[in-house]
Amino acid sequence: MEKIYRAGLRLLDQLTTEETFERIVKEAIKLVSADYGSLTLMDNDEFKDVYSTLPLPVKRRKKGYTFKSFIEQKVIVLHNQEVKDHRDRYPEMAKIGIQSVILIPLSYRKKPIGVLVVNSRKKEHFSKRERDVLVLFGSLASLAIRKTQSYDETRKALETRDLFISMASHELRTPLTAISGYIQLLQSRHIERDDTESRWINHLAWETQRLTNLVKELLEVNRIKNGNFEYFWKEGSLKTILERALGNIQIRHPDREVLLEESLTDDQALVIGDFDKLLQVFNNLLENAADFSDSTKKIVVKLSDRRKTILIAVKDQGRGIQKKDLPHIFDRFYRGEDNSKEGIGIGLFLVKDIVTRHHGTVRVKSIDGKGTTVEVILPKANI
Amino acid sequence: MMAAEKTIFVVDDDPGILEVITIILSEKDYNVVSLSDGNKVFAEIKKQKPDLIFLDIWISGTDGRDITRKLKAEDSTKDIPIVIISALNETEKIAKEVGAEEFLEKPFEIDRLLQIVESRI
């Protein structure tokens, strides 16, 4: 019993599909001290060996014992005469001296998936006990096969999804480029006019920008996942980055009061990082602060010196984050349950990814109804 | 120097994008040659050498990356600044790989496009 348990455990190791097949066969041979083994699976209507230790290839015919065991889901033990018949068909089998064969049907959720074949050079091998051992091991093997197949299927599905996102965004961006180009041309011809058409054009421009941003967001997720998010490292002042981010938020929300509290010298605020990516971090945080708080409430950005690190806190007086949302806010595509704002839920995911790559940390403190503070801690350049 | 003396090639198989860029540059008095077929770049270059080329990556029948590599391999054309314009995810990376001087991600801002032209011409 313990031997089966141990063999079963070995199937749970992190293995590739091929390694899993190999291990199933080898563990089965070892469990009953047999000599050879094969694993035959039904894959897309094809019944074939996915792994075999036999020194010769065996064609699994639809009239053969293996297929019979598969269809009827029955354990078949072959001795003497049956093996002799078998040997007549495969003279090579005689050369390696196989005397006994056992066929263990494999299934998952009552659906047949294949057959485990174990061959022995001993006569009358595979007693009732050995047969029970292999049947039990067969059910563990079935689980391992389904596990590795599900993993492969999931991986393929994810690859297809990523390729789809990538292609879709290219296909969406091409017409968007023409649309946004013509709109910009129209805008340049209607500059400083205050008529209905100009207002329409501005609406068009704004909506096109929204659409463009959504498509870009989709792309960024894909980029991070595929590791194509390139970083260009250099030394720079966090103060400059924050001033730029504050400038951006003032353009989008001109009436909002946004304060920068800092007392660091330029030297103390130096970090090594990718300027554009860090700018995106603070743009996202400030945009969230503005989106989730009343426009009359101020947003405070505080920069503090913490000897080896710098702490940047973005504090709003908004409605806060609900407790149930807190553990998930950094997840990709996560949007709070009662979030009515636009976006696909990757803002904070990006923040965390970028800060982590700068060897920093992000944490969020939020009191429901009172406001949220996001703290970013980044290592200083000059230590 | 008058801008009118400067020639810019715009290569893109999307007629809308081609027209928009052509209008923007013509209004700034550049001499614009718009090409929807990437293969014609080489014949056109023999007629007049451009001061800058805007080049899409996926052009029907050819590939902007190959065109850039060929232009950069030729002594007579290697100094023409090339701006890769694309809606692909990795426009910046691709531009660097093939040796293009600049990149412009689609959709673009007119101001950014003009900024690139002014900095390169």
Side-chain angles (χ1 to χ4, degrees):
Chain A
M1 201 58 198
E2 200 189 321
K3 267 163 76 184
I4 307 174
Y5 173 69
R6 288 202 177 171
L9 275 187
R10 281 194 282 271
L11 300 182
L12 292 177
D13 287 352
Q14 290 278 336
L15 302 171
T16 64
T17 306
E18 289 70 28
E19 287 166 347
T20 305
F21 296 160
E22 180 180 344
R23 192 162 294 186
I24 287 171
V25 172
K26 289 190 172 163
E27 291 293 339
I29 298 170
K30 214 161 76 185
L31 268 176
V32 293
S33 310
D35 300 289
Y36 301 100
S38 333
L39 180 63
T40 312
L41 294 181
M42 181 62 95
D43 183 25
N44 287 333
D45 269 348
E46 209 186 342
F47 194 56
K48 61 171 188 192
D49 282 6
V50 291
Y51 183 79
S52 177
T53 64
L54 287 170
L56 54 135
V58 179
K59 197 162 185 290
R60 302 291 171 188
R61 298 168 314 124
K62 295 224 164 164
K63 280 185 201 156
Y65 285 114
T66 315
F67 194 69
K68 187 176 175 188
S69 164
F70 172 75
I71 285 294
E72 295 175 9
Q73 286 291 294
K74 230 170 69 185
V75 178
I76 300 176
V77 183
L78 305 174
H79 288 137
N80 310 328
Q81 190 55 43
E82 295 112 340
V83 177
K84 196 174 166 293
D85 291 348
H86 202 241
R87 286 205 318 233
D88 292 342
R89 199 171 299 119
Y90 297 108
E92 300 91 338
M93 286 286 201
K95 278 188 212 153
I96 56 173
I98 287 173
Q99 304 274 2
S100 310
V101 181
I102 185 165
L103 307 158
I104 308 289
L106 305 175
S107 66
Y108 182 76
R109 288 193 180 159
K110 296 194 177 143
K111 190 175 170 272
I113 55 173
V115 179
L116 176 63
V117 186
V118 183
N119 318 66
S120 170
R121 284 195 289 229
K122 281 183 223 133
K123 277 186 185 166
E124 304 294 326
H125 198 155
F126 307 125
S127 62
K128 166 98 177 48
R129 199 186 154 274
E130 284 165 328
R131 177 194 158 121
D132 291 345
V133 164
L134 283 176
V135 168
L136 191 52
F137 177 74
S139 34
L140 296 174
S142 301
L143 285 177
I145 293 167
R146 261 323 281 160
K147 178 185 142 236
T148 181
Q149 285 175 340
S150 309
Y151 178 80
D152 278 358
E153 285 158 16
T154 313
R155 193 175 43 78
K156 273 184 208 146
L158 288 176
E159 275 171 17
T160 311
R161 184 204 65 185
D162 291 344
L163 185 68
F164 173 78
I165 293 179
S166 185
M167 294 299 293
S169 69
H170 177 266
E171 294 310 307
L172 291 170
R173 284 169 87 176
T174 303
L176 263 177
T177 306
I179 295 171
S180 114
Y182 284 117
I183 291 173
Q184 290 180 71
L185 286 176
L186 278 173
Q187 272 184 318
S188 66
R189 280 157 177 68
H190 278 72
I191 223 158
E192 281 171 23
R193 269 203 245 167
D194 190 21
D195 50 15
T196 313
E197 283 80 4
S198 307
R199 276 203 304 281
W200 291 349
I201 294 166
N202 286 340
H203 265 291
L204 281 172
W206 194 68
E207 297 294 349
T208 311
Q209 190 57 50
R210 267 179 62 188
L211 202 50
T212 308
N213 288 347
L214 283 172
V215 174
K216 275 191 183 162
E217 269 191 39
L218 257 181
L219 260 178
E220 312 253 276
V221 183
N222 227 33
R223 249 189 249 195
I224 297 178
K225 231 206 106 272
N226 297 328
N228 291 332
F229 213 48
E230 266 197 78
Y231 278 69
F232 300 102
W233 303 95
K234 62 172 193 233
E235 200 176 73
S237 168
L238 259 186
K239 277 163 66 170
T240 322
I241 296 170
L242 285 173
E243 277 156 17
R244 180 85 74 86
L246 259 68
N248 289 343
I249 196 79
Q250 293 290 199
I251 293 171
R252 290 176 67 98
H253 304 267
D255 301 325
R256 177 70 74 135
E257 193 183 351
V258 188
L259 291 178
L260 177 61
E261 287 179 8
E262 57 95 7
S263 54
L264 273 70
T265 62
D266 277 329
D267 222 30
Q268 284 171 319
L270 282 183
V271 289
I272 293 181
D274 183 310
F275 194 96
D276 290 331
K277 305 285 188 307
L278 288 176
L279 184 60
Q280 187 172 11
V281 165
F282 297 109
N283 280 343
N284 286 3
L285 293 179
L286 284 167
E287 199 62 45
N288 277 351
D291 279 347
F292 295 101
S293 65
D294 195 88
S295 60
T296 56
K297 305 278 190 191
K298 70 178 172 194
I299 299 168
V300 180
V301 181
K302 198 174 169 189
L303 196 61
S304 355
D305 186 3
R306 307 213 320 169
R307 250 167 25 97
K308 290 183 176 176
T309 56
I310 304 166
L311 183 138
I312 311 99
V314 179
K315 190 176 177 190
D316 68 51
Q317 299 171 21
R319 57 182 156 98
I321 301 165
Q322 294 199 16
K323 256 198 178 139
K324 63 177 185 331
D325 288 331
L326 266 177
H328 306 290
I329 54 169
F330 292 113
D331 294 352
R332 193 184 345 179
F333 301 129
Y334 186 79
R335 305 181 76 231
E337 277 176 26
D338 42 11
N339 177 359
S340 55
K341 302 288 174 193
E342 65 184 47
I344 55 171
I346 66 150
L348 283 176
F349 168 74
L350 277 177
V351 164
K352 181 152 192 189
D353 187 77
I354 297 170
V355 171
T356 308
R357 285 193 195 218
H358 282 80
H359 308 289
T361 49
V362 195
R363 56 185 187 214
V364 177
K365 293 175 189 166
S366 189
I367 303 167
D368 202 359
K370 293 237 167 134
T372 303
T373 304
V374 182
E375 293 183 343
V376 174
I377 298 165
L378 290 169
K380 282 187 187 175
N382 46 356
I383 50 158
Chain B
M1 197 179 281
M2 289 287 290
E5 292 165 39
K6 302 287 184 184
T7 298
I8 300 176
F9 282 11
V10 183
V11 192
D12 199 309
D13 61 357
D14 184 286
I17 297 170
L18 196 61
E19 185 182 24
V20 167
I21 301 181
T22 307
I23 295 172
I24 297 165
L25 296 174
S26 304
E27 283 184 356
K28 294 285 171 190
D29 288 336
Y30 291 106
N31 172 33
V32 184
V33 176
S34 36
L35 301 166
S36 55
D37 180 349
N39 292 313
K40 293 200 173 135
V41 170
F42 302 100
E44 206 58 42
I45 277 187
K46 283 183 189 142
K47 286 187 225 160
Q48 55 180 332
K49 193 176 163 186
D51 299 281
L52 185 76
I53 302 176
F54 278 100
L55 187 58
D56 186 20
I57 297 177
W58 282 359
I59 323 165
S60 46
T62 177
D63 187 312
R65 283 169 283 211
D66 295 336
I67 298 176
T68 309
R69 284 194 198 100
K70 276 187 201 162
L71 292 174
K72 291 294 170 198
E74 276 291 321
D75 273 345
S76 59
T77 52
K78 69 175 184 205
D79 55 339
I80 306 169
I82 294 175
V83 186
I84 295 284
I85 38 168
S86 172
L88 282 179
N89 307 1
E90 307 143 5
T91 307
E92 182 176 8
K93 197 175 155 200
I94 292 169
K96 281 203 172 104
E97 275 168 11
V98 295
E101 280 73 7
E102 292 273 4
F103 73 97
L104 186 61
E105 268 185 24
K106 291 176 183 175
F108 55 82
E109 301 277 329
I110 291 183
D111 290 347
R112 176 71 193 130
L113 181 134
L114 290 173
Q115 215 177 15
I116 291 176
V117 173
E118 278 151 26
S119 71
R120 291 287 168 185
I121 289 194

